[in-house]
Amino acid sequence: MSTFEEITPAEAGWIAERLAEASRLCDVAGVQSLTPELLDDAWSAGLPGAASGDPNQLINAIGIAFGQILVDRLGFRWIIATDDYGTDLAVVAAEGKGDILVYPANFVAKRFEKRRSGFLAESVRIIATDLRKITGS
C-alpha cells in the first residue's frame, strides 16, 4: 500500500526547473505551450544524444512535463509516494476511488531502455480513459 505526502517547496522548485528545461527542449515559450505531441517530438529528437551520454536530463525533463500535463489536463496532483519499493515523486488522481498513481520520470525512463518513442500522447489518452472509467465522469 502506498502513502502520499505533499511535495515540499524545494521539490516544487525542482519540478519548475525540469518544466523550464522541457520548454527549451520543445522550443516553446513556457510550460503552458507544452503538449504531449511536442513532448513526443522532443523525446524522439533527444534519444540519439541521450543514448550516447547521460540520459537523465532528457528523462527528467520529459517525464516531469508529462506529469504536469496529467496535473493540468486530468486533475492529478504532485505528491511524494512511498511504498514497499521506496519513495519517489509521483502524480495521483482518483484518490480513495482507485488511486491512479503515475511516476512520470520512471514512466519515461522505462521507455528509454527500449528506445521507444511516440508514446506520450497515446499514454495521456489512455490514462484519461482509465480515469473516466474509475471516476464515472
Side-chain angles (χ1 to χ4, degrees), residues 7-19 89:
I7 62 170
T8 66
E11 290 157 342
W14 187 85
I15 290 167
E17 290 169 2
R18 302 299 72 75
L19 292 172
L89 183 64

Side-chain angles (χ1 to χ4, degrees), residues 11-28:
E11 290 157 342
W14 187 85
I15 290 167
E17 290 169 2
R18 302 299 72 75
L19 292 172
E21 180 63 23
S23 293
R24 284 190 294 278
L25 290 170
C26 293
D27 197 25
V28 296

